[in-house]
Amino acid sequence: EPFDATKDYIVKFNYTGQTQIVKNQVLIEDVSNSAVVYNKELSTFLFQQKIDKNILSNGKTYRVKIRVGDIDNNWSDYSSFYIFYTLSEPTIAFKNILNEQILSQNVLLEALYSQKENEELQSYQYLLYDSNKTLVNTYPTKYNSDILKQGNETILKQEITNLKNDTIYYIRVITKSLKGQTGDSGYVRFKAIYVASKLNSLL
């Protein structure tokens, strides 16, 4: 999954062998020009290495390969290259939740999705929780035809029905991009407040 290059990231790997591994070496190349942008040997028993923030740049395609060294200073062959992407984290904000309130039993929620490198969305899904953040409803995943673009804005819509009056809920949107990046609005709190009719009909 793509990660944000402005934050530390831990590369993890698996090793199959009989000797004790005491070090590893991670090499990363920029796919666009094959330039080596990261090459570090680390003494550790762990099958991982941390890439410090801002060594790589967002909006790039990279390839990484890894090798390990044992206690006798023997190195393994390098692994195959693995392609990965770096992307800024997307932001998701709700348009029509004002002052943490929804003034209706049924509402068409709209969330605005944006991503710095203009990474295209593949899908999104709404999740509704109660006041204890217990899942109440999982709405169907929506794909290309349901993703509305207006200018530079990407709008994610979902109808929410049968909200209980004077009740606190949390709403959440999870997105997935074409390159596999996930986005998450987090738990957004709101209270349903509306005037409930006391008559079924009025003549």
Side-chain angles (χ1 to χ4, degrees):
E1 182 179 344
F3 64 90
D4 189 343
T6 64
K7 299 180 179 180
D8 293 343
Y9 185 78
I10 296 177
V11 175
K12 298 181 180 180
F13 59 92
N14 294 320
Y15 163 75
T16 312
Q18 303 300 319
T19 58
Q20 183 178 12
I21 299 306
V22 297
K23 57 186 176 180
N24 63 64
Q25 185 175 9
V26 174
L27 185 144
I28 300 175
E29 296 180 357
D30 186 332
V31 169
S32 64
N33 55 18
S34 297
V36 175
V37 294
Y38 182 89
N39 188 1
K40 184 176 180 180
E41 179 183 324
L42 182 67
S43 296
T44 178
F45 295 105
L46 301 175
F47 297 161
Q48 64 184 43
Q49 189 173 141
K50 184 181 76 171
I51 301 174
D52 292 330
K53 61 184 179 182
N54 298 321
I55 288 179
L56 306 180
S57 301
N58 280 329
K60 292 271 195 173
T61 303
Y62 295 101
R63 56 182 174 233
V64 58
K65 63 181 180 180
I66 299 171
R67 67 175 182 168
V68 294
D70 65 17
I71 196 168
D72 296 320
N73 204 34
N74 298 312
W75 284 98
S76 70
D77 293 331
Y78 273 106
S79 67
S80 300
F81 271 115
Y82 185 86
I83 300 292
F84 69 95
Y85 309 96
T86 50
L87 294 168
S88 303
E89 290 186 358
T91 59
I92 303 168
F94 290 93
K95 288 181 65 177
N96 50 348
I97 299 179
L98 304 176
N99 300 318
E100 294 190 352
Q101 293 183 350
I102 288 180
L103 306 179
S104 177
Q105 182 181 22
N106 306 313
V107 62
L108 181 63
L109 281 182
E110 295 185 1
L112 295 180
Y113 168 91
S114 62
Q115 202 281 330
K116 188 176 180 181
E117 289 79 39
N118 297 315
E119 168 71 355
E120 293 289 330
L121 271 188
Q122 179 189 78
S123 64
Y124 70 91
Q125 184 177 38
Y126 272 72
L127 304 165
L128 182 68
Y129 301 82
D130 66 14
S131 58
N132 297 315
K133 295 184 180 177
T134 301
L135 187 62
V136 173
N137 199 347
T138 301
Y139 296 90
T141 301
K142 296 191 175 184
Y143 296 92
N144 297 340
S145 60
D146 298 306
I147 298 172
L148 180 63
K149 300 204 74 172
Q150 293 181 352
N152 294 327
E153 293 184 339
T154 301
I155 303 174
L156 316 177
K157 295 185 177 184
Q158 177 63 55
E159 186 177 16
I160 310 293
T161 61
N162 299 318
L163 295 172
K164 295 180 181 178
N165 193 19
D166 199 27
T167 302
I168 293 173
Y169 294 94
Y170 289 88
I171 194 72
R172 183 181 175 203
V173 180
I174 296 174
T175 61
K176 187 173 184 179
S177 78
L178 291 178
K179 289 188 174 75
Q181 181 186 39
T182 56
D184 194 334
S185 67
Y187 296 87
V188 177
R189 183 182 185 273
F190 71 90
K191 188 173 186 179
I193 300 177
Y194 53 88
V195 178
S197 173
K198 295 182 180 180
L199 296 176
N200 291 327
S201 62
L202 181 65
L203 300 179

